[in-house]
Amino acid sequence: MNEPNDKPTHKKSGKDSLIPALVISAMLHLVLVIVLLWGADFSSDSTPTPKAGRAIDATVIDPAVVNAQAKKIREQRSQAKREEAERLKRLEQQAKRLEQQREQEEQRLREVKRQKLEAERQAREEQKRIAEQQAKAEAQARIAKQKAERAERERQRKLEEKRKAELAAEKAEKARQEKLAAQRKAEEEAKKAEAERQRKLAERKKAEEEARKAEQARKEAERKAQEAKRRQQEQEAALNDLFSGLESEASQRQSARGQFIQDEVARYGAIFTQMIQQRLIVDDGLSGQECVVNMRLSPTGLLLNVEEKAGNTRLCRATKTAVASVSQFPMPEDGDIIAKLRDIELTVRPN
């Protein structure tokens, strides 16, 4: 690439080398002209007429010397011409070589340019091929991505369908379990209802039986009360007949009256206890236990209050429930006995 730039440098060096030769050649020509002029003066046979005046000093030059000098100058000129011709020949050869080198360089540059163009063409083709491959790869990547996206959507769809199916199955199973639970609950409720119906039927039968027994007990108590009243009346009549007018007889009658009231209170207390025991609901574990309660009654036998005084807590709780279920107790007609029965303590034991 740098060789074409050297060509002007060689030409400039050739011109510089011609300058000394031209100067020498010009000096030799000048000397030759001077010699020829002097030679023409010395070869003349006429003797100049001396003139008066100042004397002129002159140097005599030998023609042989001049000829020899001229010959030498001619030889030098010939040598210079030969050298100049050789130098010019060398310069021409050098110029020819430089031209060949220039042509070779131009050929090389053309080849380099061709190779560069070929390389650029190949590079463009390679870039085009790479771009095509890249575009093809991108297209394949897009297709693969689209396939992957479709596959992912399909997978998500199947997962969603599976999830929905599982959810539907769970809902169906839950509904089935709820239905079974509802059926079991309905069956249990039906069993409970039947058991409750049987229990209520048994309670109703038991209540009817207890009511019948209570009615019998009440009638028996009324009968006994009437019998006691009759006996009392008979006793009072007998006492009135036997001890009328006697203070001692009155005292005995009062004592008999007190005993009679005490006996009646004990008898009615036994009736009340029997009525409570008939309504008492306890298990066998309370056998042998007892409960002491205090009852407050109205003059007609209505229950006003019941309090636990002592005994087993469970038995007392059941006793209070039984007392409340009676609600009204039979009462005698005697006011003194009623006064005793309105505030009475009873000891209840399971049968």
Side-chain angles (χ1 to χ4, degrees):
M1 295 294 293
N2 296 328
E3 290 181 0
N5 295 330
D6 295 339
K7 187 175 180 180
T9 304
H10 290 300
K11 289 182 178 180
K12 185 176 180 181
S13 300
K15 290 181 180 181
D16 293 339
S17 62
L18 289 175
I19 292 173
L22 291 175
V23 172
I24 294 171
S25 178
M27 291 178 65
L28 289 174
H29 281 83
L30 180 61
V31 171
L32 181 59
V33 170
I34 293 172
V35 169
L36 290 175
L37 290 175
W38 282 102
D41 292 337
F42 292 131
S43 62
S44 177
D45 293 335
S46 59
T47 303
T49 302
K51 294 180 179 180
R54 295 176 58 186
I56 298 174
D57 294 331
T59 301
V60 178
I61 298 174
D62 188 358
V65 174
V66 173
N67 290 330
Q69 188 68 30
K71 183 178 179 181
K72 184 178 180 180
I73 291 172
R74 285 193 298 273
E75 289 177 355
Q76 289 178 350
R77 290 182 62 188
S78 298
Q79 182 66 26
K81 287 181 180 180
R82 286 194 300 273
E83 291 178 355
E84 181 66 17
E86 290 177 357
R87 190 183 65 80
L88 292 175
K89 184 178 180 181
R90 286 195 302 273
L91 290 174
E92 289 177 357
Q93 291 176 352
Q94 185 178 5
K96 187 176 181 180
R97 286 195 301 273
L98 291 174
E99 182 65 20
Q100 290 177 353
Q101 291 177 357
R102 185 185 64 79
E103 291 177 355
Q104 291 176 357
E105 182 64 18
E106 289 179 354
Q107 181 66 24
R108 188 184 68 81
L109 292 175
R110 285 194 297 272
E111 181 64 21
V112 169
K113 184 177 181 181
R114 186 190 66 77
Q115 291 177 357
K116 181 180 179 182
L117 293 174
E118 180 66 18
E120 291 176 352
R121 184 187 65 78
Q122 291 179 357
R124 287 193 300 272
E125 290 180 354
E126 182 66 17
Q127 290 178 354
K128 182 179 179 182
R129 185 183 65 80
I130 293 173
E132 290 176 353
Q133 289 181 351
Q134 185 175 1
K136 185 177 180 181
E138 290 177 354
Q140 291 176 351
R142 285 194 300 272
I143 293 172
K145 183 179 179 181
Q146 292 173 357
K147 289 182 179 179
E149 289 176 352
R150 286 196 298 271
E152 180 63 19
R153 287 195 297 270
E154 182 66 17
R155 188 180 70 84
Q156 292 294 334
R157 184 185 64 79
K158 289 182 178 180
L159 287 176
E160 183 65 19
E161 290 179 353
K162 182 179 179 182
R163 188 185 66 80
K164 289 181 179 179
E166 291 176 352
L167 184 61
E170 289 178 359
K171 288 183 178 179
E173 179 64 19
K174 184 177 180 181
R176 189 180 70 83
Q177 293 295 334
E178 289 177 352
K179 185 177 180 181
L180 290 175
Q183 290 178 353
R184 287 194 296 269
K185 185 177 180 181
E187 291 175 357
E188 290 176 358
E189 289 179 352
K191 290 179 180 179
K192 289 181 180 179
E194 180 63 20
E196 182 67 16
R197 189 182 69 81
Q198 293 294 335
R199 186 185 65 79
K200 288 182 178 180
L201 181 61
E203 288 181 353
R204 185 169 62 82
K205 290 181 179 180
K206 184 178 180 181
E208 291 176 354
E209 180 66 20
E210 289 177 351
R212 185 183 63 79
K213 291 181 179 180
E215 182 65 20
Q216 290 178 353
R218 187 183 65 78
K219 289 180 179 180
E220 180 66 19
E222 289 179 353
R223 187 188 65 79
K224 289 181 178 180
Q226 290 176 359
E227 181 67 23
K229 184 178 180 181
R230 185 183 62 79
R231 287 198 305 269
Q232 180 184 359
Q233 290 175 353
E234 290 178 354
Q235 289 175 0
E236 288 178 355
L239 289 173
N240 288 331
D241 291 339
L242 293 174
F243 302 106
S244 59
L246 297 175
E247 185 175 357
S248 60
E249 291 178 358
S251 177
Q252 290 177 0
R253 188 176 63 180
Q254 185 67 29
S255 177
R257 173 71 177 171
Q259 184 64 41
F260 172 75
I261 292 173
Q262 185 177 357
D263 292 341
E264 286 299 304
V265 169
R267 187 172 65 84
Y268 273 92
I271 293 172
F272 294 168
T273 301
Q274 184 180 4
M275 293 176 68
I276 294 170
Q277 287 176 339
Q278 289 175 353
R279 288 169 172 77
L280 188 63
I281 301 175
V282 294
D283 53 26
D284 295 338
L286 295 177
S287 179
Q289 300 294 326
E290 65 180 17
C291 175
V292 179
V293 294
N294 176 264
M295 294 193 310
R296 291 181 58 198
L297 304 174
S298 70
T300 59
L302 292 174
L303 178 65
L304 300 178
N305 188 31
V306 58
E307 292 182 358
E308 175 185 345
K309 290 296 185 178
N312 184 274
T313 303
R314 290 172 55 199
L315 180 59
C316 288
R317 187 164 54 248
T319 300
K320 290 171 69 176
T321 302
V323 170
S325 66
V326 175
S327 74
Q328 186 173 6
F329 294 87
M331 299 293 282
E333 295 180 358
D334 193 316
D336 293 334
I337 300 173
I338 291 173
K340 295 289 185 181
L341 293 175
R342 289 189 62 188
D343 189 0
I344 186 172
E345 284 190 0
L346 299 175
T347 301
V348 180
R349 299 180 182 85
N351 291 329

